[in-house]
Amino acid sequence: MKRLLRNVVLCSLGLLVVAPVAAQSVTPAPKTAKPAAGPASIPSLQSMASAVRSQDYTTMQLRRFRDDHGVVTTVSERLEVDANGSDRPDFRVTFLGVVGELPGSATHQAWSKVYAQVGPLFFTHGMFRVRDLAAASTNYTIHDFGPVVRAGRSARRMVVFPNSVDKAIWLVDIDSQTNIPLYGAEFDVQLRLVAEVEVQNFLGSVTPWTTTLANTTQQASYAAARSYMGQPAGLVDPSLMVVSDYQSDSIEVRNDPLSGRQSLVMSFTDGVDQFLVTQTPNVADPFAGLPSNVPGASHISRFRDKAMSALVFWEGGVAFHVAGRGSLVRLDDLAESVLRQAIATN
């Protein structure tokens, strides 16, 4: 059944490649490149993983956001990536403007604030990237759709298909020279376009900068992070039984310079996709005093759209936040599992 679904979706994506539907994307279809003489190098998950580890680059690119009503906002940004030999390169995302808006307009200022607050998340969570090669090779297959031209460069169009039906399907144009994505479109299983990033200018240099990580400390394990935070009560090490195809990617302790609170941020990945579990101790439940709230009961607040899922709850003086892609409906089960763990510790 999964193989049949994959073949149907790939066939449908093939039709989108040949004749993109205007209602789904405002991006014109790239011109088909003429095949170069001799055998072409086909990108692979391995070549893309190697590129993340070794390739410095700067791109000028467009990122398209879609609201619940299908309205598209196109934001121009600059991305600078400084490879450090790991799967998590140093990077910097800079807001440049909103397409169709003058600098200084209310919309321009609003998006400038968004980038100032969460701009790094647009790289870590919003662009196709191979985070762990072994896991990605287990959980995804990659399919070649032939040569294209993107940002004036020779590229190869690939579809990265998940082995689970509740994950994003990626259509990516991979630069033939560097194996860096020049275009990434995220689809759900109904082939609805969820997110889109388009490189307009690709540069092979990075402007030096000083990385500031004063408010974030990397930790080797959950136990090490909890010890670093002073062994606060109520924290849990999330069980991944309901998302067994994911594994730990990073563990950080973040310090809020305004409130002085510390948060344990645990990232999990299947090699491509990623979700976060954030735990902040010493935070009271803001809804505890409401008449509708049953004393001693815990409730999960849910937000989900096509692009994102966010589940929030409080237990034992700890605020929990589980966040990932909108397609990963198993996050509901994970949040309930974490809640049961938190209740058991109190």
Side-chain angles (χ1 to χ4, degrees):
M1 179 63 68
K2 288 184 178 179
R3 180 176 296 179
L4 176 61
L5 176 61
R6 183 188 67 183
N7 291 339
V8 170
V9 172
L10 288 175
C11 181
S12 300
L13 278 175
L15 295 178
L16 287 176
V17 170
V18 175
V21 180
Q24 285 190 305
S25 173
V26 296
T27 306
K31 298 177 181 178
T32 302
K34 295 180 179 179
S41 177
I42 307 299
S44 64
L45 293 173
Q46 181 175 3
S47 67
M48 285 184 272
S50 298
V52 170
R53 290 175 169 270
S54 60
Q55 181 69 48
D56 297 344
Y57 63 94
T58 299
T59 60
M60 312 297 284
Q61 58 192 34
L62 299 177
R63 187 179 300 273
R64 297 184 178 92
F65 298 89
R66 286 166 169 78
D67 65 16
D68 292 339
H69 305 289
V71 177
V72 178
T73 299
T74 302
V75 178
S76 176
E77 65 184 31
R78 179 173 64 247
L79 171 64
E80 297 164 275
V81 177
D82 187 4
N84 55 24
S86 76
D87 294 325
R88 292 186 291 274
D90 298 321
F91 66 92
R92 180 168 59 182
V93 179
T94 304
F95 169 77
L96 299 178
V98 179
V99 175
E101 294 285 340
L102 294 175
S105 69
T107 301
H108 179 98
Q109 292 177 356
W111 279 99
S112 178
K113 291 180 181 179
V114 169
Y115 270 74
Q117 294 172 349
V118 298
L121 294 178
F122 295 145
F123 174 73
T124 56
H125 307 299
M127 183 66 170
F128 179 83
R129 184 157 58 93
V130 177
R131 305 173 190 277
D132 182 280
L133 177 59
S137 300
T138 299
N139 294 309
Y140 292 84
T141 57
I142 186 169
H143 307 268
D144 177 32
F145 276 81
V148 295
V149 172
R150 178 68 70 176
R153 297 171 64 91
S154 176
R156 200 85 187 181
R157 174 153 291 182
M158 313 296 294
V159 170
V160 181
F161 197 89
N163 293 336
S164 174
V165 296
D166 64 346
K167 297 179 185 179
I169 303 165
W170 290 91
L171 188 150
V172 290
D173 293 344
I174 305 299
D175 184 54
S176 297
Q177 182 177 350
T178 64
N179 280 291
I180 297 296
L182 300 178
Y183 174 80
E186 177 188 349
F187 293 86
D188 63 17
V189 71
Q190 284 81 33
L191 295 187
R192 294 174 297 193
L193 183 59
V194 175
E196 190 178 21
V197 178
E198 177 191 2
V199 172
Q200 292 192 306
N201 191 13
F202 183 92
L203 304 172
S205 60
V206 172
T207 303
W209 75 87
T210 300
T211 302
T212 302
L213 294 174
N215 295 325
T216 301
T217 304
Q218 298 286 334
Q219 300 292 328
S221 65
Y222 165 78
R226 191 166 180 267
S227 176
Y228 179 85
M229 297 173 70
Q231 303 289 353
L235 298 182
V236 300
D237 188 3
S239 169
L240 301 182
M241 186 174 299
V242 296
V243 283
S244 58
D245 44 341
Y246 288 76
Q247 61 189 27
S248 178
D249 184 40
S250 67
I251 301 174
E252 301 174 347
V253 175
R254 295 180 184 173
N255 299 280
D256 187 331
L258 298 179
S259 67
R261 292 193 180 102
Q262 291 183 318
S263 296
L264 171 60
V265 183
M266 305 179 72
S267 170
F268 302 90
T269 184
D270 66 351
V272 172
D273 190 25
Q274 182 185 55
F275 67 82
L276 302 176
V277 178
T278 302
Q279 306 175 59
T280 308
N282 304 315
V283 178
D285 184 348
F287 304 108
L290 295 179
S292 60
N293 199 17
V294 179
S298 298
H299 304 277
I300 298 177
S301 300
R302 292 173 169 85
F303 168 83
R304 172 172 286 123
D305 62 14
K306 294 179 181 179
M308 184 182 70
S309 292
L311 303 101
V312 181
F313 56 94
W314 290 261
E315 176 60 36
V318 178
F320 293 84
H321 184 197
V322 180
R325 298 193 185 280
S327 57
L328 190 62
V329 296
R330 283 179 290 162
L331 283 182
D332 288 61
D333 298 329
L334 175 68
E336 292 175 1
S337 172
V338 173
L339 176 56
R340 288 193 296 270
Q341 287 182 263
I343 293 174
T345 63
N346 296 320

